[in-house]
Amino acid sequence: VPTDVTVVASEVDGTVIKTSVSAGDVVTTSTGIVKLSNPDLQQLLADARSKVSAVEVDNEASNAQLLDERVNRASAVSEAESALAVADAELKAYAPLYKNGLVGALDYRKVNMRLEQARISKKASVDRLRQFDVELEARKKLSVEKLAQAQEQVLRIQQRIASLEVRSTTPGMLTKIEVTPGQHIASGVAVAEIIGDGLKADIQVAQSEVDRVVRGASVSLSFPQGTISAHVTGILPRATDGQAHIL
């Protein structure tokens, strides 16, 4: 009597291509049992890989555009700084002239206004560049996340495709295979049954032979499929129809 029975089920839909083992075979963890085919999964994988490529191309184009935009904004800051330097030099040149009465108050005021406008222009261009840098980092992060999501989808589909080879989840002996080549099965359908290493046998022996058996004794059990080594775990105290039960 099996004490540990494991039912192996398919994790994906598919059509059985072949069975890799037979009932009675000993399997280990991850032994291939059944191979399935699912063209839809292969198409999904191709589509997912195309999506990754498209995202990569889109990210590359977007990054190039953003880089050009930052160069333009940085150039605007440089131009504003140059204009400010010119306005500052102009005021310094006008200051002694105005002090000595060589230029009028109106002209001097205009020079001061140009300097103030240059300062405002520079601050605005610097602020725009800083704001753009914040947006740039956010866009880069979004691009990375978008690509990661597309790549993760590829990995998920690859894992499903890997599941097209249904494998044993535990060591033991394969007792039955529930599917045949050409059969279409859905996810969750049982494909095989495995009994673990733990087996329990209820053996009937003549009451007259019970005294020859002791708890813990090593025994050999012969079956058509072969011989199994075991040990006695218990002897039922009562006999049935002259037969004693040994476990």
Side-chain angles (χ1 to χ4, degrees), residues 72-122:
N72 292 336
R73 290 180 183 269
S75 296
V77 171
S78 297
E79 292 173 1
E81 289 175 341
S82 297
L84 178 59
V86 170
D88 185 61
E90 184 181 26
L91 180 63
K92 290 179 179 178
Y94 265 75
L97 297 176
Y98 174 68
K99 184 177 180 180
N100 294 323
L102 299 177
V103 295
L106 180 59
D107 290 335
Y108 187 65
R109 189 178 302 113
K110 288 180 180 179
V111 172
N112 271 285
M113 289 178 62
R114 284 196 290 270
L115 177 60
E116 184 60 26
Q117 288 174 352
R119 287 172 177 164
I120 293 173
S121 178
K122 177 192 173 183

Side-chain angles (χ1 to χ4, degrees), residues 51 55-56 58-60 62-63 66 133-151:
K51 178 66 174 178
V55 171
E56 288 174 339
D58 183 64
N59 284 353
E60 185 176 352
S62 178
N63 289 339
L66 292 172
D133 283 342
V134 173
E135 295 175 359
L136 179 61
E137 289 303 314
R139 292 183 185 181
K140 285 182 177 180
K141 182 179 179 181
L142 184 61
S143 295
V144 170
E145 291 175 351
K146 188 175 181 180
L147 179 59
Q149 289 173 356
Q151 292 171 333

